[in-house]
Structures are given as structure tokens and as C-alpha cells.
Amino acid sequence: MVKSELHDELERFRGELPGVTDEDGLYALQVAYLGKRGSVTRLRGGMRDLDPDGRKAFGQAFNQVKGAIEAELGEHRQVLARRIRDADLARHEDL
């Protein structure tokens, strides 16, 4: 079922996110999942094969998964910014 595939993609995303160490990697991950040809975006195409009730349920699940990925990307972006700032401060303290 397409809905379970969405949650599988979310779990796969969550497995990859901790390995991202810079802004470029974070952007690449965002594109891989939410970009025009991203894995989550492609699953949305399966909506056309569903009945109206199935489309509604899938649409809700899609929005939840997309929102979760966007939120986690934002949180990780803040973590990376803090790491960069802390490293910069530590470098200045050493001088």
C-alpha cells in the first residue's frame, strides 16, 4: 500500500539524517526526499489509483510525512548552525 510506503520513506529519511554533517548534505537529502523527483514526492503520484476515500487518507498521511521531514530538516539545520558557531567560538578562544 502506498500509505505504508510513505512511512517507510520517513523511516529511511530518519536513518540517513544523523549522518548529514553539513548544509550541502542537508540540501541533498531534502531534494532526495521532497524534491520534484524525490522519493516521497513520487509516491504522491499513486494517489490517482486510489478511490476518493483512499485519496483523502493518503493525502493526510502524505502531508504528515512531508511535514515531519520538513520539521526534522529544520531542526537538524539548527543543530548544524550551532555546531559551526561553537567551533568558530572555540577557534577564537584559542587565539
Side-chain angles (χ1 to χ4, degrees), residues 55-93:
R55 272 184 283 220
K56 181 178 178 182
F58 176 82
Q60 290 172 342
F62 177 84
N63 289 335
Q64 288 173 347
V65 167
K66 183 179 177 191
I69 289 174
E70 288 172 340
E72 291 177 31
L73 284 167
E75 289 170 12
H76 200 73
R77 187 169 280 117
Q78 290 177 351
V79 168
L80 291 176
R82 259 192 310 272
R83 284 183 193 162
I84 291 169
R85 187 181 66 240
D86 291 347
D88 194 39
L89 288 173
R91 189 170 44 89
H92 285 6
E93 288 175 7

Side-chain angles (χ1 to χ4, degrees), residues 24-40:
D24 290 338
L26 200 59
Y27 179 73
L29 194 61
Q30 178 180 350
V31 169
Y33 285 89
L34 300 178
K36 187 175 181 179
R37 294 186 180 138
S39 60
V40 173

